[in-house]
Amino acid sequence: MPIDLSKVTARSKMVTIPELGDLVVREPTLADAQRASLDPYWWTACVTCADGTPFLTNAQDAGRIRADVAAAVLAEVNAVRPTAGSSDASGESPTTKDA
């Protein structure tokens, strides 16, 4: 039985980078990871402006962004975004060994 792909597709989140304002950041996909070895600016494909326009019109322009600002954007791209637990979840982690 095939998996439900909708449960594992990349999600997006609105973030605020002080120097840039609001951006929409998408989690990287396997395709992004494969492209990373050949394209140092692969992560720009994971970022759009809040109004839906591209983050950069030319990905190579990412090389001209200050390193601290680029690092902040890249940190958001690579951030782990855990899924919300089910409504009956207590929030407690299960015990893995006897006390």
Side-chain angles (χ1 to χ4, degrees):
M1 175 178 197
I3 63 167
D4 180 359
L5 198 57
S6 69
K7 292 182 179 181
V8 293
T9 56
R11 296 164 292 184
S12 296
K13 179 180 180 180
M14 179 84 68
V15 300
T16 302
I17 306 294
E19 294 85 349
L20 302 173
D22 292 338
L23 297 172
V24 177
V25 177
R26 173 183 55 79
E27 295 171 319
T29 63
L30 179 58
D32 295 319
Q34 291 174 327
R35 193 171 66 247
S37 65
L38 301 173
D39 179 7
Y41 308 119
W42 64 270
W43 52 272
T44 62
C46 299
V47 183
T48 57
C49 296
D51 65 0
T53 59
F55 171 57
L56 298 171
T57 54
N58 179 356
Q60 299 302 313
D61 287 340
R64 298 173 49 203
I65 297 173
R66 277 192 352 238
D68 62 322
V69 175
V73 176
L74 189 53
E76 288 294 344
V77 169
N78 287 320
V80 175
R81 305 199 191 289
T83 57
S86 64
S87 60
D88 62 344
S90 67
E92 292 184 23
S93 298
T95 303
T96 56
K97 64 180 183 177
D98 292 335

